[in-house]
Amino acid sequence: MTVRPIVAIDRVSVAYGDLVVVHEVSLDIAAGETVGLVGESGSGKTSLGKAITMLKDTIDGTIAFEGEDVRALVASDRLAFRRRVQMIFQDPVSSLSPRLKIRSLLAEPIEVHGLPFEATWRQIEALMADVGLSAQHLDKYPHELSGGQARRVALLRSLVLAPRFIVCDEPTAGLDVSVQGDLLNLLCDLQITRGLTYLIISHNLNVIRRVTDTVAVMYLGQIVEVGETATLFARPAHPYTASLIAAIPTIDPDRRRSPIVLAGEIPSPRKPPTGCRFHPRCPSAQARCRTEAPARRDAGPGRSVACHFPVA
């Protein structure tokens, strides 16, 4: 029996004015799964995350949540959709109002969504210990928190509405390694206890390798490879994926890879290259790559790659 994904993205494009930053992206996310989304800055990762949560409109394609078109869900009951789908932003402090104390920031979604206040607040108090916060944090302003504490508040605020799916944009950026580990452990524990599904956007491939089930690789607005995490890291199929993995620092000499030097910088999305978008930088590019855009095709169970000449 085919299992319907909790999120189904089909040929979605996103633009800011005339600048198309996400181009015909397709991706399925299964319930209870953690999918990692990786790629260089400017590849469209955050824009795709915002499109899934309807914080940014799409110009083409469809996004379905639990089998229903997201645009229709938002049009019929925006608040109900927000209770099911949440996003944690890259900069947690700037996403929290500087004029409100943490107590008010946590109470705000209860009031907006018309939830029973006392019962919901008791749940928040129970969750505070789980996310590593105490009652003393409730009377602080966001600027009085550390980076790790601000991220925990943002996570707690997203959990107030008991969502099914959370987009986490760079959840460990700027945190000490020990704090990163605590936060990742917390996300994993909450996934088990609350039945959550995650899309984790990150530049940190070590984080992605540790906590995800599946990885999607974006380059210049397109997904070029999708695969099970262990397989993708062991045997990347797309040359761009191989270059990202080869650049991961390691102190273990037996795990070091030869660096893959890419030519130039990522092109502007205002004028993407013809053919394969990666061909100007690809060490394996051939004549076909300059004129013919590769379609994503199966490369094994649960794996796909958009490349004419995959490396694995």
Side-chain angles (χ1 to χ4, degrees):
M1 181 179 67
T2 302
V3 179
R4 186 175 65 187
I6 190 171
V7 177
I9 304 163
D10 185 29
R11 300 180 67 83
V12 160
S13 297
V14 178
Y16 293 84
D18 62 352
L19 177 61
V20 179
V21 294
V22 175
H23 181 69
E24 296 187 351
V25 162
S26 297
L27 180 67
D28 288 347
I29 302 174
E33 185 180 28
T34 299
V35 173
L37 187 61
V38 303
E40 292 170 283
S41 295
S43 59
K45 304 184 302 297
T46 297
S47 295
L48 180 59
K50 288 182 177 180
I52 296 171
T53 55
M54 287 304 291
L55 296 174
K56 175 64 182 170
D57 290 335
T58 60
I59 60 170
D60 203 3
T62 60
I63 301 172
F65 181 73
E66 295 185 324
E68 298 181 75
D69 186 285
V70 163
R71 285 171 293 192
L73 286 172
V74 172
S76 64
D77 193 339
R78 182 179 294 269
L79 289 181
F81 177 74
R82 296 290 177 224
R83 287 194 289 271
R84 297 157 70 186
V85 176
Q86 288 283 299
M87 183 168 184
I88 301 172
F89 296 93
Q90 181 173 348
D91 186 346
V93 174
S94 65
S95 69
L96 301 173
S97 173
R99 294 183 173 87
L100 297 178
K101 292 185 177 181
I102 305 306
R103 184 187 304 276
S104 297
L105 288 169
L106 294 175
E108 186 177 45
I110 302 176
E111 298 166 356
V112 169
H113 288 263
L115 302 178
F117 190 89
E118 291 187 7
T120 308
W121 190 258
R122 285 196 296 270
Q123 294 174 16
I124 291 175
E125 291 177 329
L127 276 172
M128 286 185 67
D130 293 338
V131 302
L133 295 171
S134 63
Q136 66 181 2
H137 293 112
L138 292 174
D139 295 315
K140 293 181 179 293
Y141 288 97
H143 72 272
E144 297 178 301
L145 303 176
S146 68
Q149 290 169 345
R151 289 188 189 278
R152 291 169 189 272
V153 169
L155 175 58
L156 179 57
R157 194 166 188 258
S158 73
L159 293 172
V160 169
L161 302 175
R164 295 261 290 135
F165 176 69
I166 301 178
V167 176
C168 306
D169 192 1
E170 297 285 0
T172 61
L175 301 180
D176 293 340
V177 174
S178 60
V179 180
Q180 289 184 21
D182 290 342
L183 187 61
L184 293 174
N185 289 337
L186 174 60
L187 288 173
C188 293
D189 291 343
L190 289 170
Q191 183 173 41
I192 294 170
T193 58
R194 301 179 72 85
L196 294 170
T197 302
Y198 294 128
L199 175 67
I200 297 182
I201 300 168
S202 182
H203 289 92
N204 191 328
L205 294 187
N206 283 322
V207 167
I208 293 297
R209 178 161 52 187
R210 174 183 166 185
V211 301
T212 64
D213 306 298
T214 301
V215 178
V217 183
M218 284 194 78
Y219 182 80
L220 203 59
Q222 296 181 325
I223 288 182
V224 297
E225 183 171 1
V226 178
E228 189 270 332
T229 301
T231 302
L232 186 140
F233 274 87
R235 297 187 305 279
H238 197 282
Y240 179 60
T241 308
S243 70
L244 292 177
I245 293 173
I248 300 174
T250 177
I251 60 174
D252 185 350
D254 295 330
R255 296 180 59 188
R256 289 176 185 163
R257 298 173 181 260
S258 298
I260 300 174
V261 179
L262 301 180
E265 299 292 333
I266 185 170
S268 169
R270 289 193 180 277
K271 193 175 181 180
T274 58
C276 174
R277 295 189 172 200
F278 185 58
H279 88 258
R281 306 176 68 195
C282 180
S284 306
Q286 300 183 33
R288 180 184 179 188
C289 306
R290 299 181 182 92
T291 59
E292 183 183 342
R296 242 172 70 198
R297 55 188 174 84
D298 289 343
R303 191 173 192 188
S304 63
V305 61
C307 182
H308 294 306
F309 307 101
V311 296

